[in-house]
Amino acid sequence: MGSVAPNVAELDGSKFNITRSTNLRDVPLPGSPEELSHSHCTDHMVTVKWTAAKGWETPEVKPYQNLSIPPTASVLHYATECFEGMKVYRGYDGKLRLFRPDCNGERLNSSSQRSSLPGFKYDEVKKLVAKLLQIDGPRWLPNPGSFLYIRPTVIGNGPHLGVQVPKEALLFIIAVPWPDFTKMKKDPEAEPRKGLRLYASSPDTIRAWPGGFGYAKLGANYGPSLQAHGKAQALGFDQILWLFGPDRQVTEAGASNFFIIWHNTEGKLELVTAPLENQLILPGVTRRSVLELVRERLSQNFVGKLAPLEAVERTLTIDDIEKASKEGRIVESFVSGTAYFITPVAMIQNENTDINTLGANGEPAGYAAQIKSWLEAIMYGKEEHDWAYTIENEEQ
Ligand SMILES: *Cc1c(COP(=O)(O)O)cnc(C)c1O
């Protein structure tokens, strides 16, 4: 795996050069403007330099600071960039946990190589993240039941303006307090919302295409999609639902994967989400976990009032959803992703047609809530599970 030649150093997350911050930053209060800014990072960051000649250098932990890169840097001109989105959770038992961090490490490695940046052993990434949290965790994440957002990133920072494969790269990891929207006080005047409102993309705007890079977490997927996102928000929607192809296949929503639960045309209860094979969608860690949990815990037996159902990865179109909605076959729909977790979808607007995606009585059926609570139990250590990676040796 990886583009690393045998005679250059591999990424090694077990050795560090550490420079402590002597000027600790204020920790923002939950719901404060600093927290809502999504930009007030913790005291330290991790950086690792890479060069084609020498490979990966020793990782550094140092005070959070601006990067210095030349105006000619590859990332600024040719979008040689990829990233991950992870969270670290403070468990109810006081321990810090990452959720399936090797999945993120593997995806960062694959995204990095897709953008001509270097590869690495995926399991080193969680060690780098753990080191940062051993130092910043106690002060920045003291309260059980809360989390920080972690952003591992790789950029081509070399100075060569000529179009070429990067010969220099920088991997960095930052951690940032992130508002927990589920805990924020709701405006009592506002109309209660039963789920997200999605705005289906128009045929002249596509997020990803066969042979492209929609399956990799590259900045290059985002910049060009923000125009459509901005338009959707201005019209009062939460996210774009990205459609693809003449048959208007439903791929994913914003930076989240999309799921629908319905009785199919044969009357069978199914959970359907877009497939990975055609490489149009991002293979979400949450998506994969939802599918695995449903197959393991909901495929045979009732869970409370929730009837068993089959999880299928298959192409579905916006017409399929519209028809199911008209025929009253939709049970629930939701999106999944690390940043905004699992959230029901109330409606989709497609070419001026409003499609109701809530269940029969205008409420989500409760599958999303059940899946979310299973995941939370693992993330916050209420349930012992091998998807949780515990960070030991926090520095008090
Ligand atoms: C990150 C991302 C997701 C969600 O992936 P998770 O691993 O579940 O956080 C879904 N779609 C896109 C486009 C993304 O960038």
Side-chain angles (χ1 to χ4, degrees):
M1 212 199 284
S3 56
V4 181
N7 57 342
V8 301
E10 301 245 6
L11 182 62
D12 180 356
S14 64
K15 288 187 293 245
F16 289 87
N17 295 325
I18 299 178
T19 312
R20 304 269 165 180
S21 171
T22 52
N23 184 12
L24 297 180
R25 301 158 66 86
D26 289 336
V27 179
L29 293 170
S32 63
E34 293 79 34
E35 189 189 66
L36 289 169
S37 76
H38 298 98
S39 65
H40 192 91
C41 293
T42 64
D43 291 312
H44 296 90
M45 64 198 282
V46 170
T47 61
V48 199
K49 289 186 194 153
W50 174 90
T51 57
K54 291 196 187 138
W56 293 99
E57 294 182 11
T58 303
E60 287 186 62
V61 179
K62 57 189 180 194
Y64 176 82
Q65 58 194 265
N66 288 344
L67 299 174
S68 175
I69 58 172
T72 55
S74 173
V75 59
L76 300 178
H77 302 275
Y78 309 121
T80 45
E81 192 265 5
C82 61
F83 64 96
E84 269 307 312
M86 309 167 69
K87 282 177 177 169
V88 57
Y89 306 88
R90 176 67 73 187
Y92 292 104
D93 57 358
K95 291 187 184 158
L96 287 185
R97 287 182 182 79
L98 302 173
F99 181 74
R100 309 189 83 176
D102 283 341
C103 296
N104 298 96
E106 227 172 323
R107 192 169 65 190
L108 188 65
N109 172 49
S110 118
S111 300
S112 190
Q113 296 188 56
R114 185 64 184 84
S115 37
S116 321
L117 290 162
F120 42 81
K121 292 218 298 286
Y122 65 84
D123 53 337
E124 300 304 309
V125 174
K126 68 170 181 280
K127 301 183 197 167
L128 301 175
V129 173
K131 190 75 200 173
L132 180 62
L133 272 308
Q134 282 164 357
I135 295 174
D136 282 348
R139 207 166 88 81
W140 287 81
L141 193 58
N143 298 326
S146 55
F147 61 82
L148 293 173
Y149 185 78
I150 317 278
R151 176 53 66 87
T153 309
V154 188
I155 60 171
N157 62 340
H160 309 288
L161 198 54
V163 174
Q164 58 172 274
V165 171
K167 292 196 183 74
E168 290 172 43
L170 183 74
L171 187 164
F172 64 88
I173 302 174
I174 52 176
V176 60
W178 195 265
D180 186 347
F181 293 107
T182 61
K183 286 190 190 151
M184 287 169 67
K185 286 213 182 63
K186 304 241 161 40
D187 175 0
E189 303 288 300
E191 199 188 325
R193 297 275 302 270
K194 295 193 172 139
L196 299 174
R197 294 160 48 83
L198 304 182
Y199 186 68
S201 62
S202 56
D204 61 359
T205 318
I206 39 181
R207 190 195 89 93
W209 48 89
F213 41 88
Y215 66 92
K217 219 166 169 75
L218 311 188
N221 278 321
Y222 278 84
S225 76
L226 296 178
Q227 192 186 29
H229 178 71
K231 182 176 168 202
Q233 296 236 308
L235 291 170
F237 294 89
D238 297 295
Q239 294 286 354
I240 291 278
L241 180 69
W242 292 104
L243 305 186
F244 175 77
D247 56 348
R248 316 308 291 136
Q249 299 168 21
V250 172
T251 61
E252 56 186 324
S256 304
N257 294 114
F258 178 83
F259 291 83
I260 191 151
I261 300 175
W262 64 20
H263 294 278
N264 69 14
T265 45
E266 276 116 55
K268 198 158 173 279
L269 188 58
E270 288 179 332
L271 168 75
V272 188
T273 194
L276 300 181
E277 291 78 50
N278 54 17
Q279 300 199 323
L280 290 178
I281 65 161
L282 203 284
V285 179
T286 325
R287 172 189 180 280
R288 175 175 169 177
S289 306
V290 168
L291 290 170
E292 290 174 16
L293 283 177
V294 166
R295 285 174 183 147
E296 195 185 298
R297 301 183 184 183
L298 261 167
S299 65
Q300 303 292 331
N301 301 310
F302 270 78
V303 172
K305 280 186 293 194
L306 303 174
L309 78 184
E310 190 187 353
V312 261
E313 295 162 79
R314 162 180 3 106
T315 297
L316 73 163
T317 66
I318 194 72
D319 288 347
D320 295 336
I321 296 183
E322 190 179 342
K323 191 157 173 280
S325 178
K326 280 197 188 130
E327 295 172 2
R329 289 189 282 107
I330 296 182
V331 173
E332 187 169 359
S333 62
F334 59 93
V335 296
S336 82
T338 301
Y340 298 101
F341 206 23
I342 292 186
T343 313
V345 174
M347 62 84 68
I348 300 167
Q349 187 176 97
N350 179 45
E351 292 176 345
N352 300 323
T353 305
D354 283 358
I355 308 172
N356 175 0
T357 56
L358 292 166
N361 54 0
E363 298 284 338
Y367 286 94
Q370 177 61 66
I371 295 165
K372 192 172 160 190
S373 93
W374 280 333
L375 288 169
E376 277 172 340
I378 298 171
M379 290 160 173
Y380 292 106
K382 282 192 212 157
E383 180 192 335
E384 279 292 314
H385 198 285
D386 59 11
W387 288 350
Y389 172 76
T390 306
I391 298 178
E392 314 279 358
N393 304 323
E394 279 183 81
E395 297 178 12
Q396 300 300 328

